[in-house]
């Protein structure tokens, strides 16, 4: 009973936040609504006892991705009226994409629930680990046994993306000034400091 | 009805945790001023109450009386929301910290992950405070602090991955139980590089000296909270100190065996200290780290900003990655008394 109430409260907040993402006038408000949407969907996953996925969603999307998003959005000087110009023109296209997505989701969920295979396949694969209720152990053993090749493949794709992003942005221009950190670290006292011995002056006015 | 009783029991536990925590925060500021003044051969606060013991309360009252000034063209809603967002994660993370054996509000399996998720939310308070203030100093300070916190989170997360590998669990209680034994059985010894990395990034995460470039009187004044006054400013202050206590408590749990006494299981000393409750050891270990925070502030010069970033990305993260491989080797070979 209480769980149902909590579910509907969070679901309502999630829908509201999702609406705010596309209707808010200020881009920073949109980004923050997206944060709220992620957070509430994480809470919904916790209710479904998928604690690892729920907390990982907060850790990755709220804690890392959206922070960088906010950084970028805060630095931009976005003219809101230009963005909102095409709203009515693209509305039919957007609605069509939305309807198609809903249909696709219905197909997937309907097929999965009908034969009860979505959750059972995972449980069978990790059956021998005997992790009752601990879905972190369950996910780990499935990821590193049944799905090890797709998992490693995804890791390689991500690594490639990191390297490509760094290579694209990290061009060293010849005219920029930069410090050679290793030279700075190697400096010794003798390189910078010269001690001069001087005779003390005699105060002869007294 | 039973649901209601359960709910009020949880609320009671939360209150019983949060009130001592706020007292600890208040007296942490007092301890800091006293210890630093002793290091600088001064007396420190000594007017309000016996040896200045009521100083934190006087400070809190003063801040409560002050006006909260809203800057012109500031984003009113986010300006008020930002301090709350910064203190919320610092308090919420305490839900999974076991203070003694079984003395925990929520004993969940993903405890360590939950702590990481909660501490990673703290950066929103900083960024939003900087943006909503509509001030260039605040915005620059927020960018500095935000970039620093995000960078050091990675090193900190990796260091804690080593702990969860060694303990074989994400549950905080299980992590402590995996360290059962005297002081050399705790994880600080086999995970020494990770311990050092965790502690350095913990200091950097809280924007404390020597990594406190988020504020700089000569460049960006007080950084992201330059426009805040009165209670809103006090909440940022509370959040900073609550985060320090949280990081210290986590260090005590992850690397110094939480509630175990340093003589646990020894033939003669073990029974001698068996009567001391576990929470005392936990608090003592936390205080060691809190003292280190203050000691650092009293002794180290500040880092330059690019040096901070270099230390985080090019020194600490590689060290953790290498030591994670070493830890896996130690687990495979059942190395020492730890694995």
């Amino acid at each position: 009973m209480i769980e149902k109430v909590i579910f509907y409260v969070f679901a309502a907040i999630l829908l509201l936040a999702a609406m705010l993402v596309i209707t808010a006038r200020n881009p920073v408000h949109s980004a923050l609504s997206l944060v709220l949407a992620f957070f509430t969907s994480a809470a919904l996953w916790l209710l479904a006892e998928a604690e690892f996925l729920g907390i990982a969603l907060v850790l990755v999307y709220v804690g890392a991705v959206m922070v960088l998003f906010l950084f970028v959005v805060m630095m931009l000087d976005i003219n809101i009226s230009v963005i909102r110009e095409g709203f009515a023109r693209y509305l039919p296209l957007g609605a069509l994409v939305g309807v198609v997505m809903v249909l696709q989701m219905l197909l997937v969920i309907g097929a999965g629930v009908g034969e009860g295979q979505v959750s059972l396949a995972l449980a069978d694969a990790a059956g021998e680990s005997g992790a009752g209720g601990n879905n972190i152990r369950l996910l780990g053993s499935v990821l590193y046994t049944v799905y090890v090749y797709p998992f490693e493949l995804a890791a390689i794709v991500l690594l490639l993306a990191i390297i490509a992003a760094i290579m694209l942005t990290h061009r060293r221009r010849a005219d920029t000034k930069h410090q050679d950190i290793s030279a700075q670290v190697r400096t010794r006292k003798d390189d910078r400091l010269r001690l001069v011995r001087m005779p003390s002056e005699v105060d002869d006015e007294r | 009805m039973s649901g209601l009783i359960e709910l009020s029991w949880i609320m009671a536990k939360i209150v019983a945790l949060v009130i001592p925590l706020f007292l600890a925060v208040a007296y942490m500021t007092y301890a800091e001023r006293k210890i630093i003044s002793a290091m600088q051969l001064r007396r420190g606060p000594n007017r309000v109450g016996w040896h200045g013991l009521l100083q934190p309360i006087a400070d809190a009252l003063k801040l409560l009386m002050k006006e909260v000034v809203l800057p012109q063209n500031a984003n009113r809603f986010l300006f008020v929301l930002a301090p709350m967002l910064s203190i919320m994660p610092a308090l919420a993370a305490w839900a999974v910290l076991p203070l003694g054996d079984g003395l925990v509000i929520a004993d969940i399996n993903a405890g360590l992950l939950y702590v990481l998720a909660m501490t990673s939310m703290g950066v929103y308070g900083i960024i939003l405070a900087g943006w909503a203030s509509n001030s260039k100093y605040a915005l620059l300070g927020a960018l500095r602090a935000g970039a620093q916190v995000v960078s050091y989170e990675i090193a900190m997360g990796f260091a804690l991955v080593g702990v969860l590998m060694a303990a074989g669990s994400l549950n905080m209680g299980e992590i402590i139980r995996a360290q059962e034994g005297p002081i050399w059985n705790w994880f600080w010894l086999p995970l020494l590089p990770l311990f050092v990395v965790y502690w350095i990034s913990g200091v950097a995460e809280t924007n404390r000296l020597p990594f406190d470039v988020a504020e700089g009187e000569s460049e960006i004044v007080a950084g992201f909270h330059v426009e805040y006054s009165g209670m809103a400013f006090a909440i940022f202050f509370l959040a900073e100190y609550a985060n320090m206590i949280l990081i210290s408590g986590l260090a005590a749990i992850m690397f110094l065996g939480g509630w175990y006494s340093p003589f646990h299981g020894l033939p003669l000393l073990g029974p001698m200290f068996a009567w001391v409750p576990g929470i005392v050891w936990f608090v003592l270990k936390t205080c060691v780290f809190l003292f280190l925070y203050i000691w650092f502030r009293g002794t180290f010069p500040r880092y330059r900003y690019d040096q901070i970033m270099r230390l985080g990305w090019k020194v600490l993260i590689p060290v953790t990655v290498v030591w994670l491989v070493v830890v896996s080797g130690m687990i495979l070979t059942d190395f020492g008394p730890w694995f």
Side-chain angles (χ1 to χ4, degrees), chain B residues 9 13 17 47 59 96 111 148 288 296 313 321 327 330-331:
Chain B
W9 179 231
K13 282 200 276 192
L17 182 78
R47 293 288 134 175
D59 286 344
V96 296
Q148 180 183 334
V288 169
F296 288 167
W313 287 99
V321 171
V327 169
M330 288 201 275
I331 292 171

Side-chain angles (χ1 to χ4, degrees), chain A residues 75-98:
Chain A
M75 303 297 275
L76 296 177
D77 186 22
I78 300 174
N79 191 348
I80 299 157
S81 60
V82 174
I83 295 176
R84 302 190 71 84
E85 228 169 38
F87 187 75
R89 194 146 56 91
Y90 293 119
L91 193 61
L93 186 66
L96 187 70
V97 171

Side-chain angles (χ1 to χ4, degrees), chain B residues 140-184:
Chain B
L140 286 174
L143 287 179
R144 273 197 195 183
Q148 180 183 334
V149 169
V150 169
S151 309
Y152 275 85
E153 229 168 59
I154 301 170
M156 195 162 153
F158 268 139
L160 294 183
V161 166
V163 174
L164 79 91
M165 279 169 71
S169 174
L170 281 166
N171 183 307
M172 303 295 247
E174 293 295 317
I175 288 173
I176 295 178
R177 268 176 220 111
Q179 310 178 52
E180 182 171 5
I183 188 163
W184 53 82

Side-chain angles (χ1 to χ4, degrees), chain B residues 16-300:
Chain B
L17 182 78
V18 168
I19 289 176
L21 197 62
F22 273 123
L23 274 179
V25 166
Y27 278 91
M28 179 72 198
T29 63
Y30 174 75
E32 175 164 34
R33 292 165 76 177
K34 273 292 187 190
I35 293 171
I36 294 238
S37 56
M39 284 175 180
Q40 297 167 346
L41 302 178
R42 296 182 285 117
R43 280 194 190 280
N46 64 349
R47 293 288 134 175
V48 194
W50 187 72
H51 282 271
L53 265 173
L54 295 178
Q55 185 70 45
I57 294 159
D59 286 344
L61 277 177
K62 186 195 86 172
L63 284 168
L64 264 174
M65 304 289 196
K66 282 198 168 186
E67 182 190 358
V68 178
V69 182
L70 270 173
Q72 220 167 25
N73 294 330
N75 192 314
R76 191 178 265 273
F77 176 66
L78 292 181
F79 189 81
V80 177
L81 186 74
M84 300 179 197
L85 274 182
S86 74
I87 192 142
M88 182 276 291
L91 296 180
W94 278 91
V96 296
L97 260 68
L99 309 179
D101 201 350
L103 208 61
V104 55
I105 291 181
D107 190 18
I108 60 173
N109 277 328
L112 184 53
L113 215 59
Y114 171 81
V115 167
L116 282 176
M118 280 301 131
T119 49
S120 74
M121 303 247 319
V123 69
Y124 279 102
I126 296 174
I127 296 183
L128 287 180
W131 186 79
S133 300
N134 194 34
S135 147
K136 47 184 170 263
Y137 297 116
L139 185 63
L140 286 174
L143 287 179
R144 273 197 195 183
Q148 180 183 334
V149 169
V150 169
S151 309
Y152 275 85
E153 229 168 59
I154 301 170
M156 195 162 153
F158 268 139
L160 294 183
V161 166
V163 174
L164 79 91
M165 279 169 71
S169 174
L170 281 166
N171 183 307
M172 303 295 247
E174 293 295 317
I175 288 173
I176 295 178
R177 268 176 220 111
Q179 310 178 52
E180 182 171 5
I183 188 163
W184 53 82
N185 261 18
W186 301 343
F187 282 153
W188 67 275
L189 201 53
L191 305 179
L192 190 60
L194 296 184
F195 177 42
V196 174
V197 167
Y198 171 81
W199 183 238
I200 294 175
S201 20
V203 176
E205 276 275 295
T206 42
N207 288 327
R208 292 281 300 181
L209 274 145
F211 305 107
D212 71 331
V213 289
E215 43 188 295
E217 279 69 22
S218 55
E219 319 133 30
I220 50 172
V221 207
F224 62 89
H225 55 56
V226 69
E227 302 289 349
Y228 282 87
S229 58
M231 212 50 212
F233 168 75
I235 290 176
F236 275 119
F237 214 70
L238 280 177
E240 181 180 326
Y241 282 80
N243 267 323
M244 280 162 63
I245 298 176
L246 174 71
I247 298 275
S248 306
L250 278 175
I253 286 172
M254 301 291 166
F255 297 98
L256 288 190
W259 63 70
Y260 286 117
S261 102
F263 317 109
H264 184 87
L266 288 185
L268 193 66
L269 283 166
M272 262 173 71
F273 286 94
W275 57 272
V276 182
I279 188 167
V280 173
W281 293 115
F282 173 75
V283 169
L284 279 179
K285 288 166 186 173
T286 309
C287 286
V288 169
F289 289 106
L290 288 175
F291 180 75
L292 280 178
Y293 260 118
I294 300 171
W295 195 2
F296 288 167
R297 182 174 168 189
T299 35
F300 286 142

Side-chain angles (χ1 to χ4, degrees), chain A residues 39-177:
Chain A
F39 201 80
T40 35
S41 46
L44 286 182
W45 285 3
L46 283 183
L47 271 183
E49 292 182 7
E51 54 182 25
F52 177 77
L53 288 178
I55 296 176
L57 183 74
V58 173
L59 187 59
V60 175
Y61 282 92
V62 178
V65 174
M66 289 312 294
V67 173
L68 300 180
F69 236 85
L70 259 185
F71 257 78
V72 175
V73 171
M74 271 164 45
M75 303 297 275
L76 296 177
D77 186 22
I78 300 174
N79 191 348
I80 299 157
S81 60
V82 174
I83 295 176
R84 302 190 71 84
E85 228 169 38
F87 187 75
R89 194 146 56 91
Y90 293 119
L91 193 61
L93 186 66
L96 187 70
V97 171
V99 168
V100 170
M101 275 170 70
V102 169
L103 281 179
Q104 281 174 332
M105 276 158 89
L106 279 181
L107 278 175
V108 171
I109 296 170
V113 171
E115 295 156 37
Q117 57 184 202
V118 173
S119 51
L120 280 184
L122 288 176
D124 279 347
E128 74 268 22
S129 68
N134 190 345
N135 62 38
I136 298 165
R137 208 172 278 274
L138 201 87
L139 263 177
S141 52
V142 169
L143 266 188
Y144 283 96
T145 51
V146 183
Y147 298 112
V148 64
Y149 292 120
F151 184 66
E152 294 293 327
L153 213 63
I156 290 172
V157 170
L158 283 176
L159 184 67
L160 271 177
I162 292 173
I163 295 173
I166 293 173
M167 286 307 290
L168 281 174
T169 51
H170 195 76
R171 284 170 302 187
R172 178 151 282 178
R173 274 163 52 200
D175 56 336
T176 53
K177 287 183 179 177

